[in-house]
């Protein structure tokens, strides 16, 4: 299996928010087929359960706001700086978050 990497953070063994080592690997853009795209482009984040899917403000509980929106915007900015145009981004991930 190909090693997972992230363009959002250097070390996927620690939480993006807190630095805790109790983490799950989060795919920043959800949906059918997009997990693989997230892995291809490095759009992954390591998150503590509280910020992943346990807390009321976690990325899965509160999508497209707060931390989740910040991650999506950071990933899209990286895409547009390194991979392709906004139109190409939308073709892959369905919408623009910027
Ligand atoms: Zn997740």
């Amino acid at each position: 299996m190909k090693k997972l990497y992230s363009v959002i953070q250097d070390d996927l063994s620690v939480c993006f928010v807190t630095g805790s080592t109790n983490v799950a690997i989060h795919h920043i853009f959800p949906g059918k087929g997009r997990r693989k795209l997230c892995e291809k482009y490095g759009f992954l984040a390591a998150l503590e359960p509280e910020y992943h899917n346990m807390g009321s403000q976690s990325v899965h509980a509160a999508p497209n706001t707060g931390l989740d929106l910040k991650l999506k915007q950071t990933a899209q900015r990286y895409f547009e700086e390194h991979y392709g145009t906004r139109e190409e981004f939308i073709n892959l991930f369905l919408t623009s978050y910027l």
Side-chain angles (χ1 to χ4, degrees):
M1 182 185 156
K2 192 164 167 284
K3 193 172 184 305
L4 296 176
Y5 76 103
S6 171
V7 299
I8 304 291
Q9 57 184 125
D10 291 333
D11 185 354
L12 276 175
S13 70
V14 298
C15 177
F16 177 76
V17 179
T18 66
S20 164
T21 55
N22 175 26
V23 294
I25 301 300
H26 173 65
H27 292 67
I28 292 173
F29 299 103
K32 195 170 190 296
R34 280 185 290 285
R35 287 176 67 88
K36 283 276 170 246
L37 286 176
C38 285
E39 291 172 12
K40 174 181 176 184
Y41 291 111
F43 295 157
L44 304 172
L47 295 171
E48 246 190 281
E50 173 71 15
Y51 293 96
H52 185 229
N53 56 8
M54 297 301 279
S56 63
Q57 296 307 305
S58 68
V59 293
H60 284 283
N64 301 325
T65 184
L67 176 61
D68 185 62
L69 183 61
K70 180 184 170 186
L71 290 171
K72 284 171 172 164
Q73 290 180 329
T74 303
Q76 183 176 349
R77 273 191 207 99
Y78 190 95
F79 184 96
E80 293 180 4
E81 282 167 17
H82 297 89
Y83 297 134
T85 64
R86 180 159 301 182
E87 190 180 5
E88 287 166 332
F89 179 87
I90 292 170
N91 283 340
L92 294 170
F93 296 103
L94 303 186
T95 187
S96 173
Y97 296 92
L98 297 174

